[in-house]
Amino acid sequence: MKLPGPDHPITITPNPKRLRVTFNGQVVAETSRALTLQEASYPAVQYIPREDADAALLKRTERSTHCPYKGDASYYSIEAGGRRAENAIWSYEAPFPAMAEIAGHLAFYPDRVDRIEEV
């Protein structure tokens, strides 16, 4: 486990805007409670509370990855209207203590959904 610091900063801040994620014409998630995670020089990622997503469209997969700063990530595919976006979502269900705020949240790959937009 590594801790964020000056050489690898990570910040988590509430996003004041309402976000909507769509796939194949269906709303997969919509929230006004997203968290914006900014990690080093990577693009910012929106983490959406799991309860603000349509669980019926999500299918857990076998994929998992490890981040030395955040912990182990689980993955989900989206199935909507006969289309599937494989491993389109990741979630740190038990993140390391420094990243505890993102527990219970989902992050979406922008290139695997139709849109992640502010509404």
Side-chain angles (χ1 to χ4, degrees):
M1 171 176 40
K2 292 185 177 181
L3 292 174
D7 60 326
H8 194 93
I10 300 176
T11 59
I12 301 170
T13 55
N15 183 332
K17 303 206 170 139
R18 186 165 191 81
L19 296 180
R20 180 182 298 146
V21 180
T22 55
F23 176 71
N24 203 28
Q26 290 189 251
V27 175
V28 179
E30 188 165 345
T31 191
S32 56
R33 302 180 302 139
L35 298 174
T36 302
L37 185 144
Q38 180 64 59
E39 180 174 358
S41 61
Y42 300 116
V45 174
Q46 302 301 315
Y47 280 81
I48 294 174
R50 183 182 304 273
E51 59 269 17
D52 293 343
D54 185 345
L57 301 176
L58 311 183
K59 308 296 180 212
R60 190 173 182 133
T61 71
E62 297 294 318
R63 180 171 170 74
S64 67
T65 57
H66 178 78
C67 170
Y69 294 94
K70 295 184 284 295
D72 295 324
S74 300
Y75 287 77
Y76 296 82
S77 294
I78 304 168
E79 294 180 358
R83 282 183 59 208
R84 181 178 174 97
E86 191 71 27
N87 295 313
I89 302 166
W90 73 93
S91 178
Y92 292 94
E93 294 166 0
F96 292 145
M99 299 289 111
E101 287 178 83
I102 62 172
H105 287 68
L106 305 171
F108 293 77
Y109 283 105
D111 62 342
R112 297 185 190 175
V113 297
D114 295 337
R115 296 187 74 155
I116 301 174
E117 61 186 331
E118 295 176 353
V119 294

